[in-house]
Amino acid sequence: MTTIPLQTLSDASVPDILKDWFSQRGWLPRRHQLEMLSVAGQGDHALLVADTGAGKTLAGFLPTLADLIAAPDHDGLHTLYISPLKALAHDIKRNLETPIAEMGLDITIETRSGDTPSDRKARQRSRPPNILLTTPESLSLLISYPESETLFSGLKRIIIDEVHAFAVGKRGDLLALALSRLQAINPKVQRVALSATVADPDAFLGWLAPNGDLENVQLVKGESGAPPDLDIMLPEGRVPWSGHSGHYAIPQILEEVRRNKLTLIFCNTRFLAEFIFQAIWNANEDGLPIGIHHGSLAVEARRKVEGAMARGELRALVATASLDLGVDWGDVDCVIQMGAPKGSSRLLQRIGRANHRLDVSSKALLVPGNRFEFLEAQAAFDAVAAGQRDGEPFRAGGLDVLAQHIMAQACAGPFHEDKLFAEIVSAQPYAKLTRDEFHRALGFVENGGYALKAYDKFKRLRRDADGVWHLVHPRFAAQHRLNAGIIIDAAMLDVRFKNGRKLGRVEENFAAQLSPGDTFFFAGMSLEVERIKDMDVLVRAAKKAAQIPSYMGARMPLTTHLSDRVREMLTDRAGWGRFPDDVREWLEMQDWRSHLPEPGQLLVETFPHHDRHHMVCYPFEGWNAHQSLGMLLTRRMEDRGLEPLGFVANDYALAVYGLKPITDPGPLFSADILADEFTDWVQRSYLLKRAFREVAVISGLVERQHPGKRKTGKQVTFSTDLIFDVLQKYEPEHILMQAAWADARARMTDVGRLGDLMDRAQDSIIHIDLDRVSPLAVPVLAMIGREAVPQGAADDSLLLEAESLAAAAMRSDDME
């Protein structure tokens, strides 16, 4: 571990009491911690990018501690800490209180979230602590109070932790707008952001900088830690052709659990976490204490598991993304990633849960579920070794979030629109907001817009003769504070027959993609959608085979970075020697029998199989994009009389099958599919209504809660559906319809990736017509007809089908 003696950095102005506290523990501050003190002394903003275990949080708070030591009589709020998780804020409070108590400092720290008692919230607005730990949503509510200007007038510092986790989404939009308000109240307040996994620091610097001015924002890079001890766990036999759970490795995983004090086992979905936990538990002959942790569990159950981890009572914990971020629940020795990692940054975040020390290698194992996932695991392995990170790009801020913020400002007090507009465009997500868009958002907050302004319930603002905007009635402020927020609980829809018989529940994300006449597998049956009404999917037994893959639960998207790496590995023949023999032979046979697409190429294979004609393409754009593409292609095939029967997709490939052969796939992939079939599909499907429901709730058009009661999902849906129908008929250009279209296109279907794919396809399609299935097609074809079985439980049947397909694909009797 490299450290810099304190005496060589006297300009960092480290108080003696802090120096003594460090030396009592035999510690020296790290270079980046001292550099954060120096940046703060210059009055600049800072982005700290440092590995897990590097003491990022302490680095962020050191200037605060130094200030409060130098001015112990500071009255009021000095530092605001913002976390993506309530649990992380509580953990930071616990970790800060220890050194403050040991140094005998008179510094007050409190948290504020939805769980904070109302009397404490009220007291915090008038008598705040020195350090307040909160979330973006709670901060937005704070600035909606008339006393917010007084509360934040003396604020010195804002610390944004795990900034990568939410800056690029709508929570980041809300926070950016709140930061612009705080900067307007006190132009000298310093912004600090912390992260271990920022892929594009320059983009985050721009997001952090007030008015996009980069001159006063400094990038601080942490010291490099010990490289992770990362390995790929392979089966004792062959790497599976298909399946996703990696349950073949359960005996090997149990050996790791026995070898370590605490093993953290990450799964990408809640279903897979439950499945793997049961598989480990059933094989756990030693009775080792093992727990499970994911977001669908009750708060009490999660807290119980977290307490057991902190006390060292567990040997293993199976978890989802609920434990991705920096909460330290226990001394983890080893991290195991079940299935594909989906992104190098996400993998690094999870690896960092082990040891949580900069100078000790974090031990982690990847367990790929199939051969494509092995390539993805190897790509992630290489990316981590090269220190390369990935992440979602920034995009324009949501108009529904903007409407919520405008309402918050009206709740805080009268405002002039010119001043508010200047504040808003100083936030990076809204830097390109036009005056017309702002006026439309303001008009919506004022009265609901042209089609809704006749209703008194939407008349919330008025403008006086001096051009200053006011709330029409104080009750609108109370309603706003009760309903504001960005996180929309995932609604579940009941799947029912017309006679009322309930088959089960699916996430609305899945139902949003269905239109009347679509067929899908569910509960072991092929079902046809009759209609979607309120929160019910009404179905009947289908007379034709299901076209749409069954409900499989939430999926993490494959990052573009890893997708590109996998594509490069396919044609890096010199690098195949490091792969297991069966994976290398798979690629060699594909290379001989068909083709391996170069980066930028779109390989399309056609072949007969089981009395059907198949078309398999390999976009490597992720399941969400492939799912959307499958729906669009089958609609286009129907229009052209090609009689498609269905499609199936994974993260790497899409297979469409039907009764007639496809002799020229080029026209099917023309770019106008996004202008024609996509628009028609979105308008006919439930997708746009679902997107509208979210933006209606976020913008404040529809309320989830009234004093003393909360609307059910069905009531919210009924309200938004009625308004949607009115706007679609009378004001299709309404700002919320625009916001809903933006969400439907960019977030729910990965249409941006589809657009890039279509652009590439025009000049890069490689069509190979084969007499039978190709080796590369085996993993995706093995899934046909087996989507009704959830991930994990389907593996046995997938393996059987894959072996049959592989026998044909890998047969070399026609080799010369």
Side-chain angles (χ1 to χ4, degrees), residues 303-423:
R303 297 291 178 265
K304 184 177 179 180
V305 168
E306 292 161 4
M309 280 189 70
R311 293 188 299 271
E313 295 171 0
L314 291 180
R315 294 292 298 278
L317 182 69
V318 181
T320 59
S322 59
L323 284 185
D324 268 7
L325 298 178
V327 181
D328 294 326
W329 295 120
D331 189 11
V332 179
D333 299 300
C334 178
V335 167
I336 297 177
Q337 166 66 44
M338 301 300 297
K342 300 303 169 197
S344 60
S345 289
R346 181 179 295 114
L347 180 59
L348 274 167
Q349 189 82 45
R350 292 179 168 183
I351 290 171
R353 297 303 99 217
N355 291 317
H356 212 78
R357 288 173 55 191
L358 193 64
D359 53 341
V360 177
S361 292
S362 298
K363 181 182 177 183
L365 294 166
L366 302 179
V367 184
N370 58 58
R371 297 183 181 200
F372 267 124
E373 286 194 352
F374 169 81
L375 296 179
E376 186 183 327
Q378 187 65 57
F381 182 100
D382 294 345
V384 168
Q388 291 186 335
R389 295 164 170 80
D390 49 28
E392 296 299 313
F394 283 94
R395 80 285 176 274
L399 296 175
D400 49 343
V401 181
L402 174 62
Q404 184 180 131
H405 179 72
I406 292 173
M407 186 61 187
Q409 297 315 290
C411 295
F415 65 86
H416 194 286
E417 62 185 71
D418 289 340
K419 182 180 178 183
L420 181 58
F421 178 73
E423 279 184 25

Side-chain angles (χ1 to χ4, degrees), residues 29 45 50 167 192 248 397 632 697 723 735 737 760 762:
H45 312 284
V192 173
Y248 64 80
L632 299 178
V697 170
I723 297 172
I735 192 168
M737 295 293 282
R760 291 199 313 269
Q762 299 313 296

Side-chain angles (χ1 to χ4, degrees), residues 160-324:
I160 306 159
D161 205 355
E162 306 286 6
V163 65
H164 65 277
F166 57 115
V168 299
K170 287 191 177 184
R171 299 183 77 199
D173 297 345
L174 188 70
L175 177 56
L177 290 169
L179 293 177
S180 71
R181 180 70 194 126
L182 296 177
Q183 208 78 38
I185 293 172
N186 182 3
K188 293 184 178 180
V189 69
Q190 292 180 342
R191 303 180 182 184
V192 173
L194 314 173
S195 179
T197 53
V198 165
D200 184 358
D202 288 342
F204 280 84
L205 286 170
W207 181 86
L208 188 64
N211 288 300
D213 182 5
L214 295 175
E215 287 188 5
N216 297 320
V217 185
Q218 296 195 34
L219 175 63
V220 178
K221 294 184 178 180
E223 302 164 46
S224 298
D229 178 7
L230 184 61
D231 204 357
I232 299 175
M233 182 180 287
L234 296 175
E236 295 175 358
R238 292 181 298 171
V239 179
W241 283 94
S242 197
H244 295 279
S245 73
H247 80 285
Y248 64 80
I250 294 299
Q252 294 160 274
I253 290 170
L254 266 173
E255 280 301 312
E256 284 297 325
V257 172
R258 293 188 190 99
R259 213 174 353 250
N260 297 297
K261 288 185 294 185
L262 178 60
T263 302
L264 195 53
I265 303 167
F266 276 113
C267 299
N268 290 341
T269 66
R270 295 172 186 179
F271 174 85
L272 187 57
E274 293 281 358
F275 177 81
I276 291 298
F277 172 76
Q278 289 297 329
I280 294 175
W281 188 257
N282 292 337
N284 182 18
E285 296 178 355
D286 299 336
L288 299 173
I290 297 171
I292 184 169
H293 190 287
H294 60 69
S296 291
L297 295 175
V299 173
E300 295 78 12
R302 294 201 302 271
R303 297 291 178 265
K304 184 177 179 180
V305 168
E306 292 161 4
M309 280 189 70
R311 293 188 299 271
E313 295 171 0
L314 291 180
R315 294 292 298 278
L317 182 69
V318 181
T320 59
S322 59
L323 284 185
D324 268 7

Side-chain angles (χ1 to χ4, degrees), residues 682-715:
V682 170
Q683 289 179 329
R684 287 184 61 229
S685 75
Y686 190 57
L687 185 68
L688 194 57
K689 279 192 174 182
R690 190 259 178 171
F692 183 80
R693 181 178 72 85
E694 288 202 358
V695 301
V697 170
I698 290 172
S699 67
L701 180 68
V702 173
E703 296 150 4
R704 290 174 285 189
Q705 298 191 74
H706 292 281
K709 62 180 180 179
R710 181 182 179 93
K711 282 186 178 181
T712 65
K714 184 175 290 188
Q715 288 171 325

Side-chain angles (χ1 to χ4, degrees), residues 373-557:
E373 286 194 352
F374 169 81
L375 296 179
E376 186 183 327
Q378 187 65 57
F381 182 100
D382 294 345
V384 168
Q388 291 186 335
R389 295 164 170 80
D390 49 28
E392 296 299 313
F394 283 94
R395 80 285 176 274
L399 296 175
D400 49 343
V401 181
L402 174 62
Q404 184 180 131
H405 179 72
I406 292 173
M407 186 61 187
Q409 297 315 290
C411 295
F415 65 86
H416 194 286
E417 62 185 71
D418 289 340
K419 182 180 178 183
L420 181 58
F421 178 73
E423 279 184 25
I424 287 169
V425 296
S426 73
Q428 185 269 345
Y430 297 93
K432 296 183 179 179
L433 184 78
T434 66
R435 197 72 191 229
D436 176 65
E437 288 174 320
F438 172 70
H439 279 141
R440 290 172 61 214
L442 181 58
F444 159 72
V445 179
E446 176 191 9
N447 56 29
Y450 169 77
L452 302 175
K453 64 183 179 181
Y455 300 92
D456 287 341
K457 66 176 292 186
F458 299 124
K459 294 177 180 176
R460 297 180 286 183
L461 302 185
R462 63 176 176 83
R463 183 166 54 177
D464 64 21
D466 296 325
V468 177
W469 290 88
H470 303 258
L471 273 185
V472 170
H473 194 280
R475 73 172 184 274
F476 289 116
Q479 290 174 358
H480 169 80
R481 293 180 189 122
L482 200 58
N483 289 279
I486 297 300
I487 300 172
I488 307 296
D489 294 334
M492 302 293 288
L493 273 67
D494 292 333
V495 180
R496 299 180 183 274
F497 288 123
K498 274 199 302 186
N499 63 9
R501 180 188 165 200
K502 181 179 174 180
L503 300 175
R505 309 181 77 198
V506 296
E507 285 180 346
E508 196 176 26
N509 262 342
F510 176 75
Q513 303 174 45
L514 303 175
S515 300
D518 284 341
T519 53
F520 68 104
F521 281 114
F522 187 77
M525 292 179 281
S526 181
L527 303 172
E528 181 179 339
V529 178
E530 291 195 305
R531 61 177 173 150
I532 298 175
K533 180 182 178 183
D534 298 331
M535 302 300 286
D536 292 334
V537 181
L538 300 177
V539 298
R540 62 186 173 194
K543 296 180 181 178
K544 56 182 179 179
Q547 289 191 14
I548 298 170
S550 73
Y551 166 71
M552 299 286 278
R555 295 172 184 256
M556 289 182 174

